[in-house]
């Protein structure tokens, strides 16, 4: 699960309520696809983090991903200190990361645990993204 660890700016991202596919999990990374939230795939750039269950109106509460927000999550495999400053991919459920490079999550800290370790970092902005 991606949770906010700290923000480089004092402002807090407001919740947005966007329509989305069934089954998006709390704390998972999401993107917009055809006007609806969808689960991010391994190398996708996350645009939102889901903050609660789908409402009756079909919308999820989400926060927008900003490069100034540092998130904390778990890694499926060991992420050692050599990965700090590099990007890694999302796991298959989009609620954590793998040790595979080529993703959009940039590692800023790791506890270097063998499996299920804590990793902190930020999402690299998509090309041409404002924000």
């Amino acid at each position: 699960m991606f949770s906010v660890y700290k923000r480089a700016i004092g402002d807090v991202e407001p919740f947005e309520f966007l329509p989305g596919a069934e089954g998006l999990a709390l704390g998972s990374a999401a993107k917009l696809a055809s006007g609806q939230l969808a689960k991010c795939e391994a190398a996708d750039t996350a645009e939102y983090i889901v903050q609660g269950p789908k409402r009756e109106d079909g919308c999820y509460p989400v926060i927008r991903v900003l490069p100034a927000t540092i998130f904390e999550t778990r890694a499926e495999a060991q992420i050692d200190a050599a990965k700090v400053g590099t990007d890694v991919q999302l796991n298959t459920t989009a609620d954590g990361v793998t040790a595979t490079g080529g993703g959009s999550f940039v590692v800023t800290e790791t506890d270097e645990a063998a499996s299920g370790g804590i990793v902190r970092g930020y999402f690299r902005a998509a090309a041409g993204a404002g924000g």
Side-chain angles (χ1 to χ4, degrees):
M1 177 164 82
F2 287 98
S3 58
V4 174
Y5 176 69
K6 68 179 177 179
R7 293 178 169 90
I9 55 175
D11 296 332
V12 175
E13 300 89 346
F15 279 15
E16 297 179 46
F17 296 89
L18 299 172
E22 292 296 328
L24 295 177
L26 174 66
S28 64
K31 62 182 178 180
L32 282 179
S34 301
Q36 294 213 2
L37 292 170
K39 179 180 72 88
C40 283
E41 300 301 324
D44 286 344
T45 298
E47 298 174 54
Y48 300 94
I49 301 295
V50 178
Q51 297 295 294
K54 190 173 191 177
R55 302 182 323 175
E56 287 184 23
D57 65 1
C59 294
Y60 285 92
V62 296
I63 58 170
R64 190 176 298 261
V65 170
L66 302 174
T69 304
I70 304 296
F71 290 95
E72 180 174 284
T73 192
R74 298 261 176 200
E76 288 186 346
Q78 183 179 23
I79 295 183
D80 60 26
K83 289 275 190 187
V84 171
T86 66
D87 51 26
V88 294
Q89 293 187 3
L90 299 173
N91 64 14
T92 57
T93 54
D95 63 356
V97 296
T98 68
T100 304
S104 65
F105 188 78
V106 180
V107 177
T108 59
E109 294 180 57
T110 176
D111 66 4
E112 300 189 71
S115 180
I118 295 173
V119 177
R120 295 182 183 123
Y122 62 93
F123 287 96
R124 188 178 314 280

